[in-house]
Amino acid sequence: MLIVGLAGGIATGKSLIAQEIAKLPGVAVVDADRVAWETYRKNTETYRKLVARFGEKILSADGEIDRKKLGALVFSDSEAREFVNATVHPAVQAALEKIAEAHRAQGTKLLVIEAALLLESPYVSREFFDYIVLVNAPREVQIRRLIERSGLVPEEARRRVEAQTPSEVLAGRADFVLDTSGTIEETLKRARALFAQLLSAKGST
């Protein structure tokens, strides 16, 4: 089974590409954000660590961690971001390894892990992935998409994009860079071609 990481900043098009690749036979896509949410559900060890650090201000009415409240902290405070990453990422890595074992047993040919911080987090096991693909778009494109998609004011959209590591820094750490600055059709065409190439190369080895 081929395991490919799909990395990239906010509003670069990772989810769009993941949805397209999931249509291919023998392919499964895992959203690492959703895996992360599961790692800090109420009463988990990760939940307890986050609440101990940030208090009940990050909780929703039902006592679960409110993702939006936690996200606001992460984007506005680098120290808080590092604590959250150091707490959540190792738990996510462990969960992904269990998910991969299950897919391997099911005969999945390609497992795609969609995760923004694959190329940045020191807690990610690079050996777990056969390849990592960086999804890339110019920052102004990211900001425009974020405003259109989420209704953020331009200043907030820019702050969120600029809080992330520039793609030019990450490009050298990726095995492939997938440009998504064009139309949706152009992006999906590039994505299909790249993943078909990866599957073909894996099948010939």
Side-chain angles (χ1 to χ4, degrees), residues 55-72:
E56 295 187 359
K57 66 183 179 181
I58 63 171
L59 300 181
S60 56
D62 62 1
E64 293 283 358
I65 289 176
D66 186 307
R67 296 193 299 273
K68 288 187 177 180
K69 291 178 181 177
L70 187 64

Side-chain angles (χ1 to χ4, degrees), residues 36-201:
W37 302 341
E38 291 299 320
T39 68
Y40 56 72
R41 293 297 297 271
K42 192 174 182 180
N43 296 323
T44 61
E45 180 182 357
T46 303
Y47 172 95
R48 288 190 286 272
K49 288 179 180 178
L50 293 175
V51 174
R53 172 66 171 79
F54 300 113
E56 295 187 359
K57 66 183 179 181
I58 63 171
L59 300 181
S60 56
D62 62 1
E64 293 283 358
I65 289 176
D66 186 307
R67 296 193 299 273
K68 288 187 177 180
K69 291 178 181 177
L70 187 64
L73 271 176
V74 164
F75 278 111
S76 64
D77 183 339
S78 60
E79 194 173 302
R81 182 162 61 246
E82 174 54 31
F83 180 85
V84 171
N85 289 347
T87 303
V88 175
H89 290 186
V92 172
Q93 179 67 49
L96 288 176
E97 289 174 5
K98 290 182 179 179
I99 290 169
E101 288 176 11
H103 278 286
R104 191 172 281 110
Q106 294 168 15
T108 298
K109 293 180 180 178
L110 168 63
L111 180 63
V112 178
I113 309 293
E114 179 192 348
L117 301 178
L118 283 178
L119 294 168
E120 302 171 62
S121 174
Y123 310 102
V124 171
S125 171
R126 186 61 187 256
E127 293 73 25
F128 176 72
F129 297 93
D130 293 290
Y131 303 105
I132 293 182
V133 176
L134 175 66
V135 182
N136 180 46
R139 287 202 158 191
E140 292 305 318
V141 173
Q142 289 178 263
I143 292 166
R144 187 190 75 235
R145 289 174 179 170
L146 198 52
I147 293 169
E148 294 171 352
R149 184 182 77 189
S150 304
L152 296 176
V153 297
E155 293 78 9
E156 174 64 14
R158 182 173 297 278
R159 187 173 67 83
R160 292 199 174 200
V161 169
E162 291 182 349
Q164 300 185 325
T165 305
S167 57
E168 53 267 26
V169 174
L170 300 177
R173 306 175 193 171
D175 297 297
F176 300 92
V177 177
L178 191 55
D179 175 32
T180 65
S181 61
T183 65
I184 290 176
E185 291 75 16
E186 289 168 341
T187 292
L188 295 182
K189 183 178 180 180
R190 290 193 190 102
R192 286 192 295 266
L194 174 58
F195 279 89
Q197 173 191 339
L198 296 180
L199 277 168
S200 176

